[in-house]
Amino acid sequence: TMSDAGGDALVHIQMTQGDGLNWAVLKVSIVVDGGASKLCVEGDATADCTFDKDDDKSWDTSEEITISEGDTDLCDGTEPCSVVVTLTKVGVGIEQDRVIASITATAENN
């Protein structure tokens, strides 16, 4: 259930194929209803948005992350919201950041 306050879960994203990705090199950002891009910070409810991960070292096939609002209301649930999720593998050393997926999902009350 979504409200006009922050902290609501927006979308769940599941890895369906590929090699595991170390959590330390995953960057998650979202755009809600064509607005500004928001960087999601793992486990930080004071950020614009946040995501939850499990306790192991990597995101692997069949595992999900839940992307939620931080302390700001991004979608109140009165109407469905379009959420574009961009997943980026952060470059290490001389390697550059690389977008590994861009997914469009809908956040709505169930």
Side-chain angles (χ1 to χ4, degrees):
T1 302
M2 297 168 59
S3 69
D4 60 358
D8 298 326
L10 296 173
V11 294
H12 303 284
I13 304 294
Q14 181 179 36
M15 181 185 287
T16 58
Q17 63 183 4
D19 296 330
L21 181 65
N22 187 307
W23 292 115
V25 297
L26 175 65
K27 181 169 77 172
V28 178
S29 59
I30 63 171
V31 173
V32 178
D33 286 339
S37 180
K38 309 283 186 188
L39 178 63
C40 301
V41 180
E42 187 269 319
D44 183 357
T46 64
D48 286 331
C49 65
T50 184
F51 68 96
D52 296 328
K53 64 178 185 66
D54 61 22
D55 292 331
D56 62 14
K57 293 183 187 242
S58 63
W59 187 20
D60 296 301
T61 302
S62 79
E63 292 181 339
E64 289 186 353
I65 59 173
T66 299
I67 299 171
S68 303
E69 299 170 331
D71 60 2
T72 302
D73 179 40
L74 301 174
C75 181
D76 65 13
T78 57
E79 297 288 329
C81 295
S82 170
V83 181
V84 178
V85 179
T86 302
L87 304 172
T88 303
K89 180 181 179 197
V90 177
V92 177
I94 62 169
E95 183 181 280
Q96 294 187 357
D97 291 0
R98 182 171 46 104
V99 173
I100 55 174
S102 182
I103 302 118
T104 300
T106 301
E108 61 187 333
N109 278 324
N110 287 336

